[in-house]
């Protein structure tokens, strides 16, 4: 027996002898590696370069049987997967087979077998193989997607199956010497290879190959879970292409199901704007319309209902795109018609055919349709469809209070459950807050105000109602009627904010003001802790009252004392609650707005407000509130100051550390100028006389020429900060005889008093600059007048600067005088302390040294003698002060007896009067008065004075 190699060699020798060049035949015997049975199977991979030479060289290119035999050997030896280092050769073989399978179908089964092995994770021999062969793997996977060009259905199906397995499966065996690559590495390289884009583009090739289409859609469904793959699919206009093929005939229904899932993934993980843009064309809308109506009208399975709801969500997201032709296609009209079912009857054939089982899926569809109404309301052309389909009436039927009692209207007729009815009621209220302002006539014709006030009254009744809804709109209101109250009040606020006289007058005629005040009183009397929903309800009620009472004296009188009392309670709110995060800051702002609109302007309510110290409360909050709220507080105070009684309250107010209202306003002025970047020195004085009140924002804004009817930056500045309101308040308070001001306050006050002059000069300076910018030269008198005005503003600023300098000088003099007074007081205190110490030391010396005591006695006698008058005028009586009978100098105690004034002078009968009896011990102590007795007069150590 001769081997194949010998036969090939013999043929070559015969060719040489006949004179022809001996062709080179590759030896195929080396495809069989000589391995022992003990060797691992993964080590017995064939020599792929030799197979490539067998397939490509011209001599062996026609040997199909050998090609198939060699390829089958490759399939057999690679059942565990392909090595990373062999991928380049392997995919070269696959490309050759793919090209030859077009003309030779014999290659297709082998190609399919090789692609089937590609489902397995590729194998690596070293840990460094993954980064080293990353580019090779990426190119190979890219070529794997390009094999979709082969028209064979099984090959296309196998390609999709292999991609799915590579991207998801992570159950690979470990072999000796090799191990599979990780799942994360595979997924990353699949994304980099662009397989998602290739599969999307291949959908056009699968019109008549339903199994392959199923697998491709399955693969795209899996790949679309990645945002990177979603961008690739959208790059290939995948959303539009998938929508085009979603309604193709398919008994199993997988095409529509997987198509909708892919669109879902694209909306969630990709660019929603790009998806809706691709689906916003007439063809896509018609395909979606066909699919939705089919499952709505003909679907009866739970699967059909779920798919119908999924399609409705996609349609809703498309409706958010203004360019989507939902109305032009007629689809929007049909959807709006479904919104009113089953509340309204219709003779439309679609409604006649529609049947609801009131299941959870039907309930979800009803909520999605209500949400679609909100989305479509952004297009005014859809509002006309709402009117034609009587959407307002259907929503009001859902809202009415009796709808909460879910009772079937007919015998055996099914309806929504109480829980579902409650959620629909809340969502209908939320929908009306958006739709009702667009349909005012329909709102009035349905008597919606009466319905809402009845609903609000039902919300305040204690009838044991227990809310059971779990939906988004029921958040914070479970277990009661708080959620219904929240959305009812919100709807009333939206309607009153339209300032429609008919709606607002109708509400007032129905007693809305007293009803809303009663609702606020109930909240104020509650002992429960407030939450965000309660605060929101109160805020909306206050805003509704503000809109109703604004600029209407009769309604302000209806607001009356009850409203004033309610507002006072809110103004007594703890300022710390403004930072609670529950919305108390909005509640306080709406309260101040309510004061401005419901109290200010009516002297009756103003007087009540002032009697209850309302002005004091506003000033307290003005002192403690953040800057964002100071504007409305100042505006309210400014309007309230039109009442002459208010000024006395403002003047009498005292804040912390005896802060007065003028001092507070001047402090706010300095804070405002610091925020605006106005140039001031350390003493708040003017530093630039040409720009005394110019802000940093005005300087940074480029000078442009604006039309005459457009306000300039200097005019806009008046309304954008608090300085104009502070100036207006000082115009009412006056600029003289203000209490509690410091020197810095007087410096600031000098600027405030000239604010209007500075602002006028600033406006004229802008006019001059604009004229110069436009190249316009005023006539000589106008130019002279313009220069005079600007110069007058500068002179005013200079005068204010000199005034500020004099105020500062006076302050320095006062500080110097105060310092001198303090120094003198300290010096006197020091001297007194020294004298006290000397006296103490002298006293101690007298008690311890007898000579010093005698010297003190002599000095005392000398002093007494020197104080006696030398001349004795006639007619005067002089009493002797000489002490006689000094028996001892013991000073432990002494008894002194003083002869009283003679009776001849006083006219009294007494000859002698004991005035005092005093014992003074050496240790000191208080004097005591004792009764004089004979025994005491006879004490040995005593002194008697007569």
């Amino acid at each position: 027996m001769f081997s194949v190699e010998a036969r090939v060699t013999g043929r070559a020798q015969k060719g040489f002898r006949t004179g022809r060049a001996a062709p080179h035949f590759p030896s195929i015997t080396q495809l069989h590696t000589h391995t022992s049975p003990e060797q691992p199977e993964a080590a017995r991979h064939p020599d792929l370069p030799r197979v490539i030479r067998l397939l490509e060289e011209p001599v062996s290119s026609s040997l199909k049987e050998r090609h198939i035999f060699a390829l089958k050997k490759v399939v057999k030896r690679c059942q565990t997967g392909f090595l990373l280092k062999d991928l380049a050769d392997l995919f070269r073989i696959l490309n050759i087979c793919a090209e030859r399978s077009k003309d030779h179908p014999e290659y297709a089964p082998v190609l399919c077998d090789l692609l089937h092995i590609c489902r397995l994770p590729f194998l690596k021999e070293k840990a460094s193989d993954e980064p080293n062969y990353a580019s090779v793997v990426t190119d190979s996977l890219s070529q794997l997607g390009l094999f979709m060009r082969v028209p064979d259905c099984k090959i296309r199906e196998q390609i999709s199956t292999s991609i799915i397995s590579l991207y998801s499966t992570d159950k690979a065996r470990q072999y000796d010497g090799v191990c599979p690559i990780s799942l994360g590495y595979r997924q990353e390289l699949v994304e980099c290879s662009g397989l998602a884009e290739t599969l999307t583009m291949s959908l056009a090739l699968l019109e008549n190959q339903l199994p392959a289409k199923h697998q491709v859609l399955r693969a795209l469904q899996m790949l679309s879970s990645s945002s990177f793959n979603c961008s690739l699919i959208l790059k290939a206009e995948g959303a539009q292409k998938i929508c085009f093929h979603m309604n193709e005939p398919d008994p199993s229904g997988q095409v529509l199901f997987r198509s909708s899932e892919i669109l879902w993934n694209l909306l969630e993980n990709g660019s929603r704007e790009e998806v809706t843009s691709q689906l916003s064309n007439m063809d896509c809308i018609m395909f979606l319309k066909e699919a939705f109506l089919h499952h709505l009208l003909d679907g009866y399975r739970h699967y059909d209902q779920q798919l119908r709801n999924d399609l409705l969500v996609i349609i809703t997201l498309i409706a958010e795109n203004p360019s989507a032709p939902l109305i032009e296609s007629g689809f929007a009209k049909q959807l709006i018609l479904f919104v009113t079912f089953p509340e309204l009857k219709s003779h439309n054939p679609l409604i006649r055919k529609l049947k609801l089982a009131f299941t959870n899926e039907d309930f979800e569809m009803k909520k999605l349709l209500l949400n679609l109404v909100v989305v479509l309301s952004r297009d005014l052309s859809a509002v006309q469809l709402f009117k034609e389909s009587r959407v307002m009436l259907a929503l009001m039927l859902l809202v009415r209070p009796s709808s909460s009692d879910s009772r079937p209207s007919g015998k055996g007729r099914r309806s929504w459950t109480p829980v579902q009815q409650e959620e629909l009621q809340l969502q209908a209220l939320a929908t009306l807050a958006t739709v009702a302002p667009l349909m005012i006539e329909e709102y009035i014709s349905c008597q919606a105000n009466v319905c809402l006030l009845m609903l609000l009254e039902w919300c305040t009744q204690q009838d044991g109602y227990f809310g059971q809804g779990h939906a988004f709109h029921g958040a914070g209101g479970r277990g009661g009627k708080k959620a219904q109250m929240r959305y009812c009040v919100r709807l009333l606020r939206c309607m009153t904010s339209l300032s429609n006289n008919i709606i607002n007058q109708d509400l007032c005629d129905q007693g809305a003001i007293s009803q809303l005040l009663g609702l606020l009183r109930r909240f104020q009397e509650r002992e429960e802790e407030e939450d965000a929903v309660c605060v929101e309800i109160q805020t909306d009620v206050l805003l509704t009252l503000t809109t109703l009472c604004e600029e209407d004296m009769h309604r302000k009188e209806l607001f009356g004392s009850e409203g004033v009392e309610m507002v006072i309670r809110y103004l007594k709110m703890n300022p710390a609650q403004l930072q609670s995060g529950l919305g108390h800051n909005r509640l306080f702002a709406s309260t101040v707005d309510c004061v401005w609109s419901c109290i200010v302007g009516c002297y009756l309510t103003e007087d009540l407000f002032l009697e209850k110290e309302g002005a004091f409360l506003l000033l307290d909050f003005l002192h403690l509130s953040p800057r964002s709220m100071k504007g409305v507080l100042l505006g309210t105070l400014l309007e309230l100051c039109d009442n002459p009684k208010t000024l006395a309250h403002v003047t009498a107010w005292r804040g912390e550390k005896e802060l007065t209202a003028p001092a507070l306003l001047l402090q706010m002025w300095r804070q405002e100028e610091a925020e605006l970047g106005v140039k001031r020195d350390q003493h708040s004085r003017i530093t630039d006389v040409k720009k005394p009140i110019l802000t940093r924002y005005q300087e940074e804004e480029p000078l442009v020429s604006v039309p005459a009817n457009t306000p300039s930056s200097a005019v806009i500045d008046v309304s954008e900060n608090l300085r104009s309101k502070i100036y207006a308040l000082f115009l009412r308070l006056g600029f003289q005889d203000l209490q509690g001001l410091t020197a810095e306050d007087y410096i600031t006050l000098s600027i405030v008093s000239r604010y209007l002059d500075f602002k006028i000069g600033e406006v004229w300076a802008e006019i001059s600059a604009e004229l110069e910018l436009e190249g316009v030269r005023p006539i000589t008198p106008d130019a002279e007048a313009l220069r005079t005005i600007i110069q007058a503003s500068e002179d005013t600023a200079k005068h204010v600067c000199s005034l500020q300098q004099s105020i500062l000088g006076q302050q320095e003099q006062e500080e110097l005088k105060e310092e001198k007074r303090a120094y003198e007081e300290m010096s006197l205190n020091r001297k007194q302390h020294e004298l006290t110490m000397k006296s103490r030391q002298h006293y101690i010396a007298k008690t311890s040294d007898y000579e010093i005591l005698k010297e003190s006695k002599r000095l005392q006698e000398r002093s007494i003698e020197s104080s006696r008058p030398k001349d004795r005028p006639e007619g005067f009586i002089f009493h002797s002060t000489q002490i006689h009978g000094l028996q001892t100098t013991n000073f432990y105690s002494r008894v002194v007896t003083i002869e009283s004034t003679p009776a001849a002078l006083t006219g009294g009968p007494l000859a002698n009067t004991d005035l005092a009896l005093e014992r003074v011990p050496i240790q000191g102590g208080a004097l005591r008065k004792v009764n004089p007795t004979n025994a005491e007069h006879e004490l040995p150590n005593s002194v008697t004075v007569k």
Side-chain angles (χ1 to χ4, degrees), residues 181-344:
I181 59 178
S182 63
L183 178 61
Y185 178 76
R186 281 181 276 152
Q187 291 177 346
E188 181 180 357
L189 294 184
V190 167
E191 294 175 359
C192 295
S193 64
L195 275 175
E197 182 179 2
T198 305
L199 290 180
T200 303
M201 299 178 69
S202 67
L203 285 173
L205 307 174
L206 307 175
E207 294 183 0
N208 300 321
Q209 296 178 357
L210 192 57
K213 181 178 291 187
H214 288 168
Q215 289 300 106
V216 170
L217 291 175
R218 183 184 169 197
L220 287 174
Q221 180 184 351
M222 182 172 294
L223 293 175
S224 59
S225 61
S226 165
S227 59
F228 187 84
N229 287 331
C230 287
S231 62
L232 294 176
I233 294 173
L234 293 175
K235 182 180 179 182
E237 297 184 351
Q240 182 176 352
K241 291 179 179 178
I242 290 170
C243 189
F244 286 164
H245 298 283
M246 65 189 310
N247 288 331
E248 292 181 355
D250 178 21
S252 65
Q254 289 191 40
V255 173
L256 180 58
F257 169 73
R258 298 197 183 279
S259 298
S260 64
E261 289 294 322
I262 294 170
L263 293 177
W264 260 99
N265 291 340
L266 291 176
L267 289 167
E268 288 184 353
N269 304 320
S271 172
R272 179 176 296 183
E273 293 77 11
E274 180 64 24
V275 177
T276 55
S277 177
Q278 292 185 16
L279 296 178
S280 298
N281 57 73
M282 186 63 71
D283 293 333
C284 290
I285 296 297
M286 296 306 295
F287 283 123
L288 290 169
K289 174 184 176 181
E290 180 184 351
F292 175 77
L293 293 179
H294 171 71
H295 285 81
L296 175 64
L297 302 176
D298 300 329
Y300 58 92
R301 297 173 299 176
H302 185 259
Y303 160 78
D304 295 328
Q305 295 174 350
Q306 285 184 330
L307 186 56
R308 171 199 66 192
N309 292 347
D310 291 345
L311 292 173
L312 185 55
V313 173
I314 296 173
I315 293 167
T316 303
L317 294 175
I318 295 174
E320 294 179 355
N321 187 2
S323 61
L326 282 173
I327 298 177
E328 293 80 355
S329 64
F331 192 22
K333 185 175 182 179
Q334 294 174 337
L335 291 171
I336 295 171
L337 191 62
F338 297 142
V339 173
T340 61
F341 183 82
E343 287 74 30
L344 299 179

Side-chain angles (χ1 to χ4, degrees), residues 70-125:
L71 292 172
K72 287 182 177 180
K73 287 291 185 181
V74 173
V75 172
K76 183 177 180 181
R77 300 291 177 83
C78 297
Q79 289 299 315
T80 58
F82 299 117
L83 290 170
L84 289 177
K85 66 179 183 180
D86 294 337
L87 284 181
D89 295 335
L90 173 67
F91 275 86
R92 188 173 178 182
I93 294 172
L94 290 175
N95 275 301
I96 295 172
C97 293
E99 292 297 329
R100 293 189 180 182
S101 64
K102 298 177 182 179
D103 300 326
H104 304 283
E106 297 87 353
Y107 289 90
V110 183
L111 176 60
C112 190
D113 292 338
L114 291 172
L115 292 173
H116 180 70
I117 299 174
C118 289
R119 80 189 190 283
L120 301 175
F122 303 135
L123 304 175
K124 59 182 180 180
E125 296 176 322

Side-chain angles (χ1 to χ4, degrees), residues 1-230:
M1 296 289 294
F2 294 95
S3 65
V4 177
E5 184 177 359
R7 290 198 297 270
V8 172
T9 305
R11 289 182 181 178
Q13 292 174 354
K14 290 181 181 179
F16 179 77
R17 283 194 292 268
T18 57
R20 285 187 259 176
H24 173 71
F25 290 92
S27 175
I28 62 175
T29 57
Q30 296 185 12
L31 291 175
H32 304 278
T33 58
H34 301 284
T35 58
S36 62
E38 293 80 7
Q39 208 170 4
E41 185 181 359
R44 294 185 283 127
H45 282 269
D47 190 359
L48 296 181
R50 289 185 177 274
V51 178
I52 294 173
R53 288 198 296 271
L54 176 64
L55 294 172
E56 288 184 340
E57 290 192 359
V59 176
S60 59
S61 60
S62 61
L63 302 176
K64 290 189 294 183
E65 294 80 3
R66 293 187 180 182
H67 296 169
I68 300 301
F69 179 78
L71 292 172
K72 287 182 177 180
K73 287 291 185 181
V74 173
V75 172
K76 183 177 180 181
R77 300 291 177 83
C78 297
Q79 289 299 315
T80 58
F82 299 117
L83 290 170
L84 289 177
K85 66 179 183 180
D86 294 337
L87 284 181
D89 295 335
L90 173 67
F91 275 86
R92 188 173 178 182
I93 294 172
L94 290 175
N95 275 301
I96 295 172
C97 293
E99 292 297 329
R100 293 189 180 182
S101 64
K102 298 177 182 179
D103 300 326
H104 304 283
E106 297 87 353
Y107 289 90
V110 183
L111 176 60
C112 190
D113 292 338
L114 291 172
L115 292 173
H116 180 70
I117 299 174
C118 289
R119 80 189 190 283
L120 301 175
F122 303 135
L123 304 175
K124 59 182 180 180
E125 296 176 322
K126 296 181 292 186
S128 60
D129 283 352
E130 287 189 358
N132 292 339
Y133 289 99
S135 59
V136 175
V137 177
T138 302
D139 294 340
S140 301
L141 292 175
S142 299
Q143 295 179 44
L144 180 63
L146 295 175
F147 292 146
M148 294 295 292
R149 68 184 185 273
V150 180
D152 189 277
C153 178
K154 292 184 179 180
I155 293 177
R156 291 172 173 173
E157 187 176 353
Q158 185 58 56
I159 293 172
S160 302
T161 304
S162 299
I163 293 173
I164 294 170
S165 179
L166 277 175
Y167 199 76
S168 61
T169 307
D170 197 16
K171 297 180 181 179
R173 290 178 55 190
Q174 299 275 344
Y175 302 101
D176 295 338
V178 294
C179 62
I181 59 178
S182 63
L183 178 61
Y185 178 76
R186 281 181 276 152
Q187 291 177 346
E188 181 180 357
L189 294 184
V190 167
E191 294 175 359
C192 295
S193 64
L195 275 175
E197 182 179 2
T198 305
L199 290 180
T200 303
M201 299 178 69
S202 67
L203 285 173
L205 307 174
L206 307 175
E207 294 183 0
N208 300 321
Q209 296 178 357
L210 192 57
K213 181 178 291 187
H214 288 168
Q215 289 300 106
V216 170
L217 291 175
R218 183 184 169 197
L220 287 174
Q221 180 184 351
M222 182 172 294
L223 293 175
S224 59
S225 61
S226 165
S227 59
F228 187 84
N229 287 331
C230 287

